[in-house]
Amino acid sequence: MINNKIVTIERHILDSQPDSARGDFTNLLYDIALSAKIIAVKTNRAGLTDVLGRAGSSNIQGEQQQKLDVYADDVIFRMNDHTGRLCAMASEEHEHFLEIPEQFQKGSYVLVFDPLDGSSNIDVNVSIGTIFGIYRTVDYQKRGRLEDFMQPGHKLLAAGYVLYGSSTMLVYTTGQGVHGFTLDLEIGEFLLSHENMRFPETPQYYSTNHAYFDRWSKGTKEYVRWLQNNERFQLSERYIGSLVADFHRNLLRGGVFMYPSERNRPNGKLRLLYEAAPLSYIAEQAGGYGSTGKGSILDVTPDDLHQRVPTYIGNRALVSKAEELLARHDQ
Ligand code: P6P
């Protein structure tokens, strides 16, 4: 008798996709899960192989690329370039979008991803993550162009992240709630472990890097003071410095993550296309909200693959308060 509690990610995706949905979309999510398994194996052994340390190159962000970044980026590209499901990809590690090689058939979906966010934490064994989003091409006749990436987050068909931590988890949404799967290393499958994830009503944490306090606007400072002296929520401060890890903890325990505008970085640090928008889609599907501080991140239409956006993301009550205080103090 098979325990009917064992739900693999493949089964969950198939069960949740309407019969009308083409197999392409389901298979694309499966391909991403397979990429995650491959990356997880390497990540879990990072301390044991020569993968640690710098790849000797830097990416479009000018950040020193860790070998594991480069490896994760390559795995995701190679697992998806030949399947005929995508017409293009965009990665944090590449200045321009990635075309599907001529010899392969083009599909109707577009994949955006940060292959290994928080990679500066690799060498100190702190959890890191992959973030991804899936759009439909904007023009079936001319698919695989920059225009396919210049879509606001509310056009996302799916979004998710993989957290390489004490266990490897894949969390995703296709617009029908947020569901978490934990990798069972013995059988090599992601098994459903957190169905219908939602931000708890009572949040526990706020996450930000206080080192930048003096660079913040008056509204942002007032917001942090509100978070610190909140009668209703006795919040603790937790900041890992690894976006996926901070986001995941706040999703499970309730809280808000913020990377605000700064004096010398008006759009903050996080990238819209493959960090803030996918996580905001997940947040909204889990009853939360992602804001630029002025409005929904999902309403921002990118005009550059790597544009940054101020980010407040988590419990809707906490994020909406940021909008209120920034509007009051920063006009
Ligand atoms: P800071 C990692 O480099 C990252 O992009 C996110 O994972 C993380 O939330 C943020 O930067 C940390 O930035 O400036 O606080 O070190």
Side-chain angles (χ1 to χ4, degrees):
M1 168 70 172
I2 293 179
N3 172 349
N4 62 12
K5 289 295 181 198
I6 296 179
V7 178
T8 63
I9 192 167
E10 291 79 5
R11 175 173 166 187
H12 192 268
I13 293 169
L14 287 168
D15 289 351
S16 62
Q17 290 306 312
D19 292 345
S20 58
R22 290 177 55 192
D24 272 3
F25 185 59
T26 304
N27 290 330
L28 173 49
L29 285 165
Y30 172 74
D31 294 336
I32 292 167
L34 186 53
S35 304
K37 292 177 194 175
I38 296 169
I39 295 166
V41 168
K42 206 79 165 181
T43 305
N44 290 338
R45 289 207 303 260
L48 303 173
T49 65
D50 65 353
V51 175
L52 272 179
R54 303 196 185 291
S57 57
S58 62
N59 61 16
I60 167 70
Q61 326 295 339
E63 294 163 349
Q64 277 288 337
Q65 280 182 309
Q66 300 280 352
K67 285 181 182 176
L68 215 45
D69 288 34
V70 176
Y71 176 79
D73 177 66
D74 188 46
V75 164
I76 295 171
F77 181 75
R78 287 190 295 113
M79 292 303 292
N80 288 282
D81 67 346
H82 60 284
T83 62
R85 307 193 235 281
L86 298 176
C87 57
M89 298 181 235
S91 166
E92 191 230 16
E93 300 296 335
H94 297 270
E95 182 176 0
H96 303 294
F97 74 85
L98 304 168
E99 298 188 357
I100 298 304
E102 279 302 314
Q103 66 269 36
F104 300 133
Q105 185 185 351
K106 278 188 183 180
S108 309
Y109 297 103
V110 166
L111 177 66
V112 299
F113 60 96
D114 184 351
L116 214 55
D117 180 82
S119 53
S120 55
N121 293 297
I122 293 172
D123 288 357
V124 295
N125 205 9
V126 164
S127 300
I128 50 185
T130 297
I131 307 169
F132 67 90
I134 301 170
Y135 292 94
R136 197 183 307 283
T137 177
V138 296
D139 182 339
Y140 285 89
Q141 302 310 315
K142 303 175 188 166
R143 51 200 159 158
R145 303 176 303 154
L146 185 61
E147 287 77 357
D148 286 320
F149 298 96
M150 301 295 103
Q151 301 187 59
H154 62 68
K155 295 274 193 183
L156 278 162
L157 296 175
Y161 60 83
V162 183
L163 180 60
Y164 309 97
S166 49
S167 63
T168 298
M169 273 198 74
L170 189 151
V171 175
Y172 88 104
T173 183
T174 57
Q176 299 169 64
V178 177
H179 309 287
F181 298 78
T182 301
L183 183 60
D184 181 320
L185 290 173
E186 287 181 20
I187 60 174
E189 288 290 352
F190 280 106
L191 302 182
L192 183 63
S193 53
H194 299 67
E195 191 161 26
N196 289 316
M197 300 172 78
R198 295 187 65 81
F199 287 96
E201 279 302 309
T202 304
Q204 292 186 33
Y205 301 115
Y206 79 95
S207 310
T208 193
N209 187 336
H210 284 278
Y212 308 139
F213 187 86
D214 287 342
R215 305 179 198 166
W216 291 339
S217 70
K218 184 175 187 326
T220 301
K221 291 176 180 176
E222 286 301 319
Y223 178 55
V224 169
R225 290 190 187 102
W226 179 83
L227 291 167
Q228 292 171 330
N229 304 291
N230 194 290
E231 293 303 317
R232 183 178 164 205
F233 310 123
Q234 303 296 319
L235 300 174
S236 290
E237 198 264 344
R238 287 285 188 286
Y239 191 71
I240 300 172
S242 187
L243 174 60
V244 175
D246 277 316
F247 179 89
H248 184 72
R249 183 211 47 248
N250 289 348
L251 175 55
L252 289 175
R253 297 284 183 269
V256 59
F257 172 96
M258 56 187 271
Y259 209 109
S261 172
E262 301 166 12
R263 189 168 49 242
N264 52 352
R265 273 196 302 194
N267 290 318
K269 179 180 185 182
L270 300 190
R271 274 71 60 148
L272 170 65
L273 187 64
Y274 40 76
E275 290 174 338
L279 292 180
S280 294
Y281 182 37
I282 294 167
E284 289 213 2
Q285 283 290 312
Y289 179 39
S291 173
T292 64
K294 294 179 180 170
S296 174
I297 282 172
L298 297 183
D299 290 339
V300 181
T301 298
D303 51 28
D304 176 276
L305 287 181
H306 303 287
Q307 82 182 60
R308 300 176 192 269
V309 65
T311 300
Y312 300 77
I313 191 166
N315 281 70
R316 183 171 282 276
L318 298 180
V319 177
S320 300
K321 189 67 180 182
E323 290 182 344
E324 176 194 321
L325 291 176
L326 268 65
R328 187 184 310 163
H329 295 286
D330 289 354
Q331 293 317 323

Coordinates of all heavy atoms in Angstrom, one line a residue, residues 100-163:
I100 N 18.1 30.6 -27.4 CA 18.1 29.1 -27.6 C 19.0 28.8 -28.8 O 18.8 29.4 -29.9 CB 16.7 28.6 -27.8 CG1 15.8 28.9 -26.6 CG2 16.7 27.1 -28.1 CD1 16.3 28.4 -25.3
P101 N 20.0 27.9 -28.6 CA 20.9 27.6 -29.7 C 20.1 27.2 -31.0 O 19.0 26.5 -30.9 CB 21.7 26.4 -29.2 CG 21.7 26.6 -27.7 CD 20.3 27.2 -27.4
E102 N 20.6 27.6 -32.1 CA 19.9 27.4 -33.4 C 19.5 25.9 -33.6 O 18.4 25.7 -34.2 CB 20.9 27.7 -34.5 CG 21.0 29.2 -34.8 CD 19.7 29.9 -35.1 OE1 18.9 29.3 -36.0 OE2 19.3 30.9 -34.5
Q103 N 20.2 25.0 -33.2 CA 19.9 23.6 -33.5 C 18.7 23.0 -32.7 O 18.2 22.0 -33.0 CB 21.1 22.6 -33.3 CG 21.5 22.5 -31.8 CD 22.6 23.5 -31.4 OE1 22.6 24.7 -31.9 NE2 23.5 23.1 -30.6
F104 N 18.2 23.9 -31.7 CA 17.1 23.4 -30.9 C 15.8 24.1 -31.3 O 15.9 25.3 -31.6 CB 17.4 23.5 -29.4 CG 18.7 22.8 -29.0 CD1 19.6 23.4 -28.2 CD2 18.9 21.5 -29.3 CE1 20.8 22.8 -27.8 CE2 20.0 20.8 -28.9 CZ 20.9 21.4 -28.1
Q105 N 14.7 23.5 -31.0 CA 13.4 24.1 -31.3 C 13.1 25.1 -30.2 O 13.4 24.9 -29.1 CB 12.3 23.0 -31.3 CG 10.9 23.4 -31.6 CD 9.9 22.3 -31.5 OE1 10.3 21.1 -31.2 NE2 8.6 22.6 -31.6
K106 N 12.4 26.2 -30.6 CA 12.0 27.2 -29.6 C 10.7 26.9 -29.1 O 9.8 26.4 -29.8 CB 12.0 28.6 -30.3 CG 13.3 29.3 -30.4 CD 13.1 30.7 -30.9 CE 14.4 31.4 -31.1 NZ 14.2 32.8 -31.6
G107 N 10.5 27.2 -27.8 CA 9.1 27.0 -27.2 C 8.5 28.4 -26.9 O 8.9 29.4 -27.5
S108 N 7.5 28.4 -26.1 CA 6.7 29.6 -25.9 C 6.9 30.2 -24.5 O 6.2 31.2 -24.2 CB 5.2 29.2 -26.1 OG 5.0 28.5 -27.3
Y109 N 7.8 29.7 -23.7 CA 8.0 30.2 -22.4 C 9.4 30.9 -22.3 O 10.3 30.6 -23.1 CB 7.9 29.1 -21.4 CG 6.5 28.5 -21.3 CD1 6.3 27.3 -21.9 CD2 5.4 29.2 -20.7 CE1 5.0 26.7 -21.9 CE2 4.2 28.6 -20.7 CZ 4.0 27.3 -21.3 OH 2.7 26.8 -21.3
V110 N 9.5 31.8 -21.3 CA 10.7 32.5 -21.0 C 11.0 32.2 -19.6 O 10.2 32.3 -18.7 CB 10.4 34.0 -21.3 CG1 11.5 34.9 -20.7 CG2 10.3 34.3 -22.7
L111 N 12.3 31.9 -19.3 CA 12.8 31.6 -18.0 C 13.7 32.7 -17.5 O 14.7 33.0 -18.2 CB 13.5 30.3 -18.0 CG 14.1 29.8 -16.6 CD1 13.0 29.6 -15.6 CD2 15.0 28.6 -16.8
V112 N 13.4 33.3 -16.4 CA 14.4 34.2 -15.7 C 14.9 33.6 -14.4 O 14.1 32.9 -13.7 CB 13.7 35.6 -15.4 CG1 13.2 36.2 -16.7 CG2 12.6 35.5 -14.4
F113 N 16.2 33.8 -14.1 CA 16.7 33.1 -12.9 C 17.9 33.8 -12.4 O 18.7 34.4 -13.1 CB 16.9 31.6 -13.2 CG 17.9 31.3 -14.3 CD1 19.3 31.1 -13.9 CD2 17.6 31.2 -15.6 CE1 20.2 30.7 -14.9 CE2 18.5 31.0 -16.6 CZ 19.8 30.7 -16.2
D114 N 18.0 33.7 -11.1 CA 19.2 34.0 -10.4 C 19.8 32.6 -9.9 O 19.2 32.0 -9.0 CB 18.9 34.9 -9.2 CG 20.2 35.3 -8.5 OD1 21.3 34.8 -8.8 OD2 20.2 36.2 -7.5
P115 N 20.8 32.1 -10.6 CA 21.2 30.7 -10.4 C 21.6 30.4 -9.0 O 21.3 29.3 -8.4 CB 22.3 30.5 -11.4 CG 22.8 31.9 -11.7 CD 21.7 32.8 -11.6
L116 N 22.3 31.4 -8.3 CA 22.8 31.1 -7.0 C 22.9 32.4 -6.2 O 23.9 33.1 -6.2 CB 24.1 30.3 -7.0 CG 24.2 29.3 -5.8 CD1 23.1 28.4 -5.7 CD2 25.5 28.6 -5.9
D117 N 21.7 32.9 -5.7 CA 21.7 34.1 -5.0 C 22.4 34.0 -3.6 O 22.2 32.9 -2.9 CB 20.3 34.6 -4.8 CG 20.3 36.0 -4.1 OD1 20.5 37.0 -4.7 OD2 20.1 35.9 -2.8
G118 N 23.1 35.0 -3.2 CA 23.8 34.9 -1.9 C 25.1 34.2 -1.9 O 25.6 33.7 -0.9
S119 N 25.6 34.1 -3.1 CA 26.8 33.2 -3.3 C 28.0 33.7 -2.5 O 28.9 32.9 -2.3 CB 27.2 33.2 -4.8 OG 27.3 34.5 -5.3
S120 N 28.0 34.9 -2.0 CA 29.1 35.3 -1.2 C 29.1 34.5 0.1 O 30.1 34.5 0.9 CB 29.0 36.8 -0.9 OG 27.8 37.1 -0.3
N121 N 28.0 33.9 0.4 CA 27.9 33.1 1.6 C 28.4 31.6 1.4 O 28.4 30.9 2.4 CB 26.4 33.0 2.1 CG 25.9 34.4 2.5 OD1 26.4 35.0 3.4 ND2 25.0 34.9 1.7
I122 N 28.7 31.3 0.2 CA 29.1 29.9 -0.1 C 30.3 29.4 0.8 O 30.2 28.4 1.6 CB 29.5 29.7 -1.5 CG1 28.3 29.9 -2.4 CG2 30.1 28.3 -1.7 CD1 28.7 29.9 -3.9
D123 N 31.3 30.3 0.9 CA 32.5 29.9 1.6 C 32.4 29.9 3.1 O 33.2 29.4 3.8 CB 33.7 30.8 1.2 CG 34.1 30.6 -0.2 OD1 33.6 29.7 -0.9 OD2 35.0 31.3 -0.7
V124 N 31.3 30.4 3.6 CA 31.1 30.4 5.1 C 29.9 29.5 5.4 O 29.3 29.6 6.5 CB 30.9 31.8 5.6 CG1 32.2 32.6 5.4 CG2 29.7 32.5 4.9
N125 N 29.5 28.7 4.4 CA 28.5 27.6 4.7 C 27.1 28.2 5.2 O 26.5 27.6 6.0 CB 29.0 26.6 5.7 CG 28.4 25.2 5.5 OD1 27.6 25.1 4.5 ND2 28.6 24.3 6.5
V126 N 26.8 29.3 4.6 CA 25.4 29.9 4.9 C 24.5 29.5 3.8 O 25.0 29.4 2.6 CB 25.5 31.4 5.1 CG1 24.2 32.1 5.0 CG2 26.2 31.7 6.4
S127 N 23.3 29.3 4.1 CA 22.3 28.8 3.0 C 22.3 29.8 1.9 O 22.3 31.0 2.1 CB 20.9 28.7 3.7 OG 20.9 27.8 4.7
I128 N 22.2 29.3 0.7 CA 22.1 30.1 -0.5 C 20.9 29.6 -1.3 O 20.2 28.6 -1.0 CB 23.4 30.0 -1.4 CG1 23.8 28.5 -1.5 CG2 24.5 30.8 -0.7 CD1 25.1 28.3 -2.2
G129 N 20.5 30.3 -2.4 CA 19.3 29.9 -3.1 C 19.3 30.2 -4.6 O 20.1 31.0 -5.1
T130 N 18.4 29.5 -5.3 CA 18.1 29.8 -6.7 C 16.7 30.4 -6.8 O 15.8 30.0 -6.0 CB 18.1 28.5 -7.5 OG1 19.4 27.9 -7.5 CG2 17.7 28.7 -9.0
I131 N 16.6 31.5 -7.6 CA 15.3 32.1 -7.7 C 14.9 32.0 -9.2 O 15.7 32.3 -10.1 CB 15.3 33.6 -7.3 CG1 15.8 33.7 -5.9 CG2 13.9 34.2 -7.3 CD1 16.1 35.1 -5.4
F132 N 13.6 31.7 -9.5 CA 13.2 31.6 -10.9 C 11.8 32.1 -11.2 O 11.0 32.2 -10.2 CB 13.4 30.2 -11.5 CG 12.4 29.2 -10.9 CD1 11.1 29.0 -11.4 CD2 12.7 28.5 -9.7 CE1 10.2 28.1 -10.9 CE2 11.8 27.6 -9.2 CZ 10.6 27.4 -9.7
G133 N 11.6 32.6 -12.4 CA 10.3 33.0 -12.8 C 10.0 32.5 -14.2 O 11.0 32.4 -15.0
I134 N 8.8 32.3 -14.6 CA 8.4 31.8 -15.9 C 7.3 32.7 -16.5 O 6.3 33.0 -15.9 CB 7.9 30.4 -15.9 CG1 8.9 29.4 -15.3 CG2 7.5 29.9 -17.4 CD1 8.4 28.0 -15.1
Y135 N 7.6 33.3 -17.7 CA 6.6 34.1 -18.4 C 6.3 33.4 -19.7 O 7.0 32.5 -20.2 CB 7.2 35.5 -18.8 CG 7.5 36.4 -17.7 CD1 8.7 36.5 -17.0 CD2 6.5 37.3 -17.2 CE1 9.0 37.4 -16.0 CE2 6.7 38.2 -16.1 CZ 8.0 38.2 -15.5 OH 8.2 39.1 -14.5
R136 N 5.2 33.8 -20.3 CA 4.9 33.4 -21.7 C 5.5 34.4 -22.7 O 5.5 35.6 -22.3 CB 3.4 33.3 -21.9 CG 2.9 32.5 -23.1 CD 1.4 32.5 -23.3 NE 0.7 32.1 -22.0 CZ 0.5 30.9 -21.6 NH1 1.1 29.9 -22.3 NH2 -0.1 30.5 -20.5
T137 N 5.9 34.0 -23.8 CA 6.4 34.9 -24.8 C 5.3 35.9 -25.2 O 4.1 35.6 -25.1 CB 6.9 34.2 -26.1 OG1 7.3 35.2 -27.1 CG2 5.7 33.4 -26.8
V138 N 5.8 37.2 -25.5 CA 4.8 38.2 -25.8 C 4.3 38.1 -27.3 O 3.3 38.7 -27.7 CB 5.3 39.6 -25.5 CG1 5.6 39.8 -24.0 CG2 6.6 39.9 -26.3
D139 N 5.1 37.4 -28.1 CA 4.7 37.3 -29.5 C 5.2 35.9 -30.1 O 6.4 35.7 -30.2 CB 5.4 38.4 -30.3 CG 5.0 38.4 -31.8 OD1 4.6 37.3 -32.3 OD2 5.1 39.5 -32.4
Y140 N 4.2 35.0 -30.3 CA 4.6 33.7 -30.7 C 5.4 33.7 -32.0 O 6.2 32.9 -32.3 CB 3.3 32.8 -30.9 CG 2.7 32.4 -29.6 CD1 1.8 33.2 -28.9 CD2 3.2 31.2 -29.0 CE1 1.3 32.8 -27.7 CE2 2.7 30.8 -27.7 CZ 1.7 31.6 -27.1 OH 1.2 31.3 -25.9
Q141 N 5.1 34.7 -32.9 CA 5.8 34.8 -34.2 C 7.2 35.3 -34.0 O 8.1 34.9 -34.8 CB 5.0 35.8 -35.1 CG 3.5 35.4 -35.3 CD 3.4 33.9 -35.7 OE1 4.1 33.4 -36.6 NE2 2.4 33.2 -35.1
K142 N 7.5 36.1 -33.0 CA 8.8 36.7 -32.9 C 9.5 36.4 -31.6 O 10.2 37.1 -31.0 CB 8.7 38.2 -33.0 CG 8.1 38.8 -34.3 CD 8.0 40.3 -34.3 CE 7.1 40.8 -35.4 NZ 6.8 42.2 -35.2
R143 N 9.1 35.2 -31.1 CA 9.6 34.9 -29.7 C 11.1 34.7 -29.6 O 11.8 34.5 -30.5 CB 8.9 33.6 -29.3 CG 9.1 32.4 -30.3 CD 8.1 31.3 -30.1 NE 8.0 30.6 -31.3 CZ 7.5 29.3 -31.4 NH1 7.1 28.8 -30.2 NH2 7.4 28.7 -32.5
G144 N 11.5 35.0 -28.3 CA 13.0 35.0 -28.1 C 13.7 36.3 -28.2 O 14.8 36.4 -28.7
R145 N 12.9 37.4 -27.8 CA 13.5 38.8 -28.0 C 13.5 39.4 -26.6 O 12.9 38.9 -25.7 CB 12.6 39.6 -28.9 CG 12.4 39.0 -30.3 CD 11.4 39.9 -31.1 NE 10.1 40.0 -30.4 CZ 9.3 41.1 -30.5 NH1 9.7 42.1 -31.2 NH2 8.2 41.1 -29.8
L146 N 14.2 40.6 -26.5 CA 14.3 41.3 -25.2 C 12.9 41.6 -24.7 O 12.6 41.6 -23.5 CB 15.1 42.6 -25.4 CG 15.4 43.4 -24.2 CD1 16.2 42.5 -23.1 CD2 16.2 44.6 -24.5
E147 N 12.0 41.9 -25.6 CA 10.6 42.3 -25.2 C 10.0 41.2 -24.4 O 9.1 41.5 -23.5 CB 9.7 42.5 -26.5 CG 10.0 43.8 -27.2 CD 11.3 43.7 -28.1 OE1 11.9 42.6 -28.1 OE2 11.6 44.7 -28.8
D148 N 10.4 40.0 -24.6 CA 9.8 38.8 -23.8 C 10.1 39.0 -22.3 O 9.5 38.4 -21.4 CB 10.3 37.5 -24.3 CG 9.7 37.1 -25.6 OD1 8.4 37.4 -25.8 OD2 10.4 36.6 -26.5
F149 N 11.2 39.8 -22.0 CA 11.6 39.9 -20.6 C 11.1 41.2 -20.0 O 11.2 41.4 -18.8 CB 13.2 39.9 -20.5 CG 13.7 38.6 -21.0 CD1 14.2 38.4 -22.3 CD2 13.8 37.5 -20.1 CE1 14.7 37.2 -22.7 CE2 14.3 36.3 -20.5 CZ 14.7 36.1 -21.8
M150 N 10.6 42.1 -20.8 CA 10.2 43.4 -20.3 C 8.7 43.3 -19.9 O 7.9 44.1 -20.3 CB 10.4 44.5 -21.4 CG 11.8 44.6 -21.8 SD 13.0 45.2 -20.5 CE 13.8 43.7 -20.1
Q151 N 8.4 42.3 -19.1 CA 7.0 42.1 -18.6 C 6.9 42.3 -17.1 O 7.8 41.9 -16.4 CB 6.5 40.7 -19.0 CG 6.6 40.3 -20.4 CD 5.9 39.0 -20.7 OE1 4.7 38.7 -20.4 NE2 6.7 38.0 -21.2
P152 N 5.9 43.0 -16.7 CA 5.7 43.2 -15.2 C 5.5 41.8 -14.5 O 5.0 40.9 -15.1 CB 4.5 44.1 -15.1 CG 3.7 43.9 -16.4 CD 4.8 43.6 -17.4
G153 N 5.8 41.8 -13.2 CA 5.6 40.5 -12.5 C 4.2 40.0 -12.4 O 4.1 38.8 -12.3
H154 N 3.2 40.8 -12.6 CA 1.9 40.2 -12.6 C 1.6 39.4 -13.8 O 0.5 38.8 -13.9 CB 0.8 41.3 -12.3 CG 0.7 42.4 -13.4 ND1 0.2 42.1 -14.6 CD2 1.0 43.7 -13.3 CE1 0.2 43.3 -15.3 NE2 0.7 44.2 -14.6
K155 N 2.5 39.4 -14.8 CA 2.4 38.5 -16.0 C 3.0 37.1 -15.7 O 3.0 36.3 -16.6 CB 3.0 39.2 -17.2 CG 2.4 40.4 -17.6 CD 1.2 40.2 -18.5 CE 0.8 41.4 -19.2 NZ -0.4 41.2 -20.1
L156 N 3.7 37.0 -14.6 CA 4.3 35.7 -14.3 C 3.3 34.5 -14.3 O 2.2 34.7 -13.8 CB 5.0 35.7 -12.9 CG 6.4 36.4 -12.9 CD1 6.8 36.8 -11.5 CD2 7.5 35.5 -13.5
L157 N 3.7 33.4 -14.9 CA 2.9 32.2 -14.9 C 3.3 31.3 -13.7 O 2.5 30.6 -13.2 CB 3.1 31.4 -16.2 CG 2.7 32.1 -17.5 CD1 3.1 31.2 -18.7 CD2 1.2 32.3 -17.5
A158 N 4.6 31.4 -13.3 CA 5.1 30.6 -12.2 C 6.3 31.3 -11.6 O 7.0 32.1 -12.4 CB 5.4 29.2 -12.7
A159 N 6.5 31.0 -10.4 CA 7.8 31.6 -9.7 C 8.1 30.6 -8.6 O 7.3 29.9 -8.1 CB 7.5 33.0 -9.2
G160 N 9.4 30.6 -8.3 CA 9.8 29.7 -7.2 C 11.2 30.0 -6.8 O 11.9 30.8 -7.3
Y161 N 11.6 29.3 -5.8 CA 13.0 29.3 -5.3 C 13.4 28.0 -4.8 O 12.6 27.1 -4.4 CB 13.2 30.4 -4.3 CG 12.4 30.3 -3.0 CD1 12.9 29.4 -1.9 CD2 11.3 31.0 -2.8 CE1 12.2 29.3 -0.7 CE2 10.5 30.9 -1.6 CZ 11.0 30.1 -0.6 OH 10.3 29.9 0.6
V162 N 14.7 27.8 -4.8 CA 15.3 26.6 -4.2 C 16.2 27.1 -3.1 O 17.0 28.0 -3.3 CB 16.1 25.7 -5.2 CG1 16.7 24.5 -4.5 CG2 15.3 25.4 -6.4
L163 N 16.1 26.5 -1.9 CA 16.9 26.9 -0.8 C 17.8 25.7 -0.4 O 17.4 24.6 -0.1 CB 16.0 27.2 0.4 CG 16.8 27.6 1.7 CD1 17.6 28.9 1.5 CD2 15.8 27.9 2.9

